[in-house]
Amino acid sequence: MSQTMEALRKEAGKCADEIRKYKSVHVVSHIDADGLTSAGIICTALERVDLEYTTRFVKQLDEKALDTIANESHEIVIFTDLGSGMCEPIKSRKIHAVISDHHQPQGNFEFHLNPHLFGANGSYELSGSGSTYLLASALGGNKDLSSLAVVGAVGDMQHLKMGQLVGINREILEEGVKEGTLQSKKDLTLFGKQTRPVYKLLQYSSDPYLPGLTGDEKACSEFLNSLNFRNDELGRRWIELETAEKQKIVSGLIQYCLKSGIPSYKIERLVGEVYTLLNEREGTEMRDASEFSTLLNATARYDHAEIGLKVCMGNREEAYEDARKLLAEHRQNLVNGLVYVKEKGVSKLENIQYFDAGSEIKETIVGIIAGMSSSIVENRDLPIIAFAKSDGGVKVSARGTQDLIRKGVNLSEAMSIVSAEFGGAGGGHDIAAGATIPENTKEEFIRRLNQFIGEQLRKKAHST
Ligand code: C5P
Ligand code: C5P
Ligand code: ZN
């Protein structure tokens, strides 16, 4: 066990001891895949030790949400996949709580499980669900729940930085492999290997974007024909192909990308480590960590967290069917969103590029679309900032690249500081962050953010 893991387990033990003192717990979590799997993990663990629980899912943990929670006078609250950015506001409201999170902490807290506090990076070495898995382990065995922890980490794209899960995430993966619930292997990274016909995998590929194939069903079929796949074979799914057939497609795709002049770092992303949940039925979303996480995003981001939570906790009947219906709509929304960005284009400043989706894209998925749009914008050297209308003002989502981080960009810091200057609030990770700002501050915010990120770049350039 790594030293960091040991330290985290110790803190998890302390938090678990505190939780055991009470009869009922209020779980507050985030509305994305990592938040849902976090809640699934802790609720299952609580059930197993006969503790009662209630749940609440929020878009973000702002002052208003905290006021409501404080007014309900819970004995103890467990915040999962959020909370670390709100230590002081939680304390000032006297909410008795345990925080199990991986976002960059602001302030400190007595019962606080977060990789950043133990020398690990919460943007790729441990997710919210991973942190919560450690808490669940301290409450009981719960080794089977490592699968959900991997789904959450993949949902937060933590495996992308190194092409595989690393750090504490990897230690958790290995526990699952030992348990016989998880498998990791190198494979094609395109989305939908369990559930979609192969030509659809190509048609919907956005990372890397395949010029001439992405978005063009006919071209995708013809490409497969050129590799000697007959038309009547095109309905097969990736998992149904023979190893030799898979290899033929992967090398065909690499050739195609090379010919299209796609840079090699993008081509490399065609193959990477993928994670299989061995206890799930083959051909279902849950079998593949990436497809599972998208299924979950399709629920909670559309106000149906209760459906996603049930799926996390094992429902494969009604809730699963409902989730699949939501998934079809979610996919359509992502496609529409990308088309919108492509048609509208992005505006460029010196240090950032941005688009404003107004109410064309739902604020809860604008961050996903900002992330996916990096494959369609020309310039990957600038962070992408997206705006969307939200109830309380304007939602901002920011996405960067590893390269930008190396050059000094920290989007979490930028979002948190700059949004606060305009009376908003934000945070997140160095590579992906978000905020809400008041209406009518957008123009000024963009100008100031551009300047702030310029300063981050200059500071780093001077120090090296
Ligand atoms: O709220 P939370 O921490 O769960 O969200 C993390 C976000 O960061 C996700 O939307 C994920 O897609 C994004 N991310 C990213 N690129 C990475 C790592 C994370 O866009 N390399
Ligand atoms: O909403 P979006 O996907 O852009 O969020 C990116 C990251 O920023 C997530 O980790 C999210 O938890 C965080 N965030 C935040 N405060 C906000 C909005 C987003 O910490 N107001
Ligand atoms: Zn998370």
Side-chain angles (χ1 to χ4, degrees), residues 89-123:
I90 293 172
K91 278 192 282 194
S92 71
R93 286 170 179 76
K94 302 208 163 29
I95 299 173
H96 185 47
V98 164
I99 300 175
S100 169
D101 191 8
H102 69 129
H103 293 92
Q104 290 198 348
Q106 289 169 36
N108 49 51
F109 201 78
E110 190 180 358
F111 302 103
H112 196 181
L113 195 57
N114 183 314
H116 292 284
L117 304 173
F118 301 92
N121 188 320
S123 74

Side-chain angles (χ1 to χ4, degrees), residues 238-390:
W238 186 256
I239 50 165
E240 293 166 319
L241 301 182
E242 307 289 336
T243 308
E245 293 176 309
K246 291 180 188 169
Q247 280 164 353
K248 197 155 67 177
I249 295 178
V250 170
S251 43
L253 276 175
I254 293 174
Q255 294 293 331
Y256 182 91
C257 290
L258 285 169
K259 262 192 242 148
S260 313
I262 298 178
S264 57
Y265 74 88
K266 281 194 190 175
I267 301 178
E268 280 163 19
R269 288 210 291 267
L270 276 170
V271 175
E273 199 170 67
V274 304
Y275 306 97
T276 308
L277 279 69
L278 297 174
N279 289 346
E280 300 292 343
R281 199 150 58 81
E282 245 199 298
T284 64
E285 292 79 3
M286 288 78 63
R287 180 90 175 175
D288 174 271
S290 171
E291 289 198 63
F292 196 165
S293 75
T294 300
L295 180 77
L296 296 176
N297 275 323
T299 65
R301 290 183 191 262
Y302 299 85
D303 289 323
H304 290 295
E306 75 293 347
I307 294 175
L309 179 61
K310 281 187 191 150
V311 175
C312 285
M313 296 181 76
N315 183 303
R316 298 291 175 267
E317 288 92 42
E318 202 183 339
Y320 170 51
E321 286 310 320
D322 290 344
R324 291 189 61 191
K325 283 180 205 135
L326 290 167
L327 177 61
E329 289 167 30
H330 178 51
R331 278 182 178 152
Q332 192 56 53
N333 291 338
L334 294 183
V335 171
N336 294 349
L338 271 177
V339 169
Y340 175 85
V341 177
K342 209 166 177 192
E343 279 172 2
K344 193 162 179 229
V346 296
S347 312
K348 275 186 213 123
L349 298 178
E350 195 185 347
N351 304 304
I352 57 176
Q353 55 191 332
Y354 65 94
F355 65 88
D356 184 357
S359 32
E360 294 295 315
I361 299 176
K362 203 170 151 63
E363 58 152 320
T364 51
I365 62 163
V366 75
I368 301 182
I369 291 168
M372 292 171 84
S373 68
S374 68
S375 58
I376 58 171
V377 298
E378 307 149 28
N379 193 338
R380 266 180 60 88
D381 300 333
L382 297 174
I384 297 177
I385 316 295
F387 296 92
K389 223 173 145 49
S390 84

Side-chain angles (χ1 to χ4, degrees), residues 30 60 103 301 367 395-399 425-429 432-436:
H30 196 209
Q60 69 242 359
H103 293 92
R301 290 183 191 262
K395 168 71 197 295
V396 195
S397 277
R399 295 293 185 274
H429 310 285
T436 304

Side-chain angles (χ1 to χ4, degrees), residues 30 32 34 81 102-103 155-157 399 429 431-432:
H30 196 209
D32 67 359
D34 193 28
D81 194 33
H102 69 129
H103 293 92
D156 270 8
M157 306 195 176
R399 295 293 185 274
H429 310 285
I431 196 158

